[in-house]
Amino acid sequence: MNPSNPAPIPVRPHLLRRMLAEFVGTGLLVAIVVGSGIMAQRLSPDDVGLQLLQNSLTTALGLAVLILTLGPVSGAHFNPVVSLVDWWVSRGTLHGLPVRDVAPYLAAQIVGGIAGTVLAGAMFDTEPALSATDRASAGTLLGEVVATAGLILVIFALARSGTGAVTAAAVGGYIGAAYWFTSSTSFANPAVTIARMFTDTFAGIAPASVGPFIAAQLIGAILGLGLVLVLYPSTRRSTADVVVPHPLEAKI
């Protein structure tokens, strides 16, 4: 690097704008998951496999679009474990999520996710209700560990290797695939897990399963981070501003 021509210091959009993007993005993501699940149940009431196919394809496509749309504002985390890992790998630098922004991001994601569940229910005339679907078992919790570890690996490996431009497609594709190859159908997101507790439909999860699922997701995030640090130890490329790099712009 030429000392006389230092790299520009990233200036992010105002925190409130980024929180709004995380709220809207997580809310729409959950609305996509829950809404497509309800539609799948109604269109294919006797075929659970077809319901899962419809749900997974819709989620994969919708997630990719949301990342492309809102990534330039907030980084398109839409996921507390992504925000936590982004803060951890970039701590002590001028990039990534500052520690002061972690709690606001998590709050926006969780509240946004719950709002998305309510929105999906309202669109399909389905009353909010706590789910009765118990999903926690040894196999499904292992599935959540695998799903979350893989998600963290995909996101941060692409960021560290300088191929972040394909992140939207890669993350959408991974989540769509993980619906099928993990026993848990790949929640891989604490905010989405909490939100799906409030719908007793195809996408729901019983309150008793939420805590174990989040614990499994945190373990998976740690394992995924470990893989990233071993496979991509170089810090020459920034892992900041995941999923999509923030633009340099004024804080207004």
Side-chain angles (χ1 to χ4, degrees), residues 124-198:
F124 287 93
D125 296 316
T126 301
E127 293 292 332
L130 291 177
S131 176
T133 304
D134 186 5
R135 296 180 182 266
S137 68
T140 56
L141 295 178
L142 177 59
E144 275 301 280
V145 172
V146 172
T148 309
L151 177 63
I152 294 300
L153 176 61
V154 168
I155 292 172
F156 288 88
L158 291 175
R160 285 205 162 197
S161 63
T163 53
V166 300
T167 297
V171 171
Y174 174 79
I175 290 297
Y179 260 80
W180 290 90
F181 79 79
T182 65
S183 56
S184 64
T185 66
S186 184
F187 285 50
N189 185 329
V192 170
T193 304
I194 292 169
R196 289 171 64 169
M197 176 175 64
F198 296 100

Side-chain angles (χ1 to χ4, degrees), residues 1-202:
M1 180 183 298
N2 185 352
S4 63
N5 187 26
I9 297 174
V11 180
R12 301 175 183 83
H14 193 281
L15 177 59
L16 291 178
R17 289 177 59 197
R18 288 183 281 133
M19 288 178 64
L20 178 60
E22 288 296 299
F23 173 88
V24 171
T26 311
L28 288 177
L29 173 59
V30 173
I32 289 167
V33 173
V34 175
S36 64
I38 295 172
M39 180 66 83
Q41 279 186 314
R42 294 182 180 181
L43 293 177
S44 310
D46 301 318
D47 192 333
V48 178
L50 184 55
Q51 292 173 11
L52 184 61
L53 178 62
Q54 294 161 341
N55 192 215
S56 61
L57 286 176
T58 306
T59 302
L61 294 172
L63 177 57
V65 171
L66 290 174
I67 291 171
L68 290 172
T69 303
L70 297 172
V73 181
S74 69
H77 293 191
F78 311 150
N79 188 334
V81 296
V82 173
S83 297
L84 289 169
V85 173
D86 188 27
W87 159 70
W88 178 261
V89 298
S90 60
R91 68 196 188 285
T93 73
L94 296 175
H95 300 278
L97 190 66
V99 65
R100 65 180 180 274
D101 293 351
V102 172
Y105 261 56
L106 268 58
Q109 292 158 358
I110 293 170
V111 175
I114 295 172
T117 299
V118 174
L119 174 62
M123 289 192 292
F124 287 93
D125 296 316
T126 301
E127 293 292 332
L130 291 177
S131 176
T133 304
D134 186 5
R135 296 180 182 266
S137 68
T140 56
L141 295 178
L142 177 59
E144 275 301 280
V145 172
V146 172
T148 309
L151 177 63
I152 294 300
L153 176 61
V154 168
I155 292 172
F156 288 88
L158 291 175
R160 285 205 162 197
S161 63
T163 53
V166 300
T167 297
V171 171
Y174 174 79
I175 290 297
Y179 260 80
W180 290 90
F181 79 79
T182 65
S183 56
S184 64
T185 66
S186 184
F187 285 50
N189 185 329
V192 170
T193 304
I194 292 169
R196 289 171 64 169
M197 176 175 64
F198 296 100
T199 179
D200 194 19
T201 62
F202 181 78

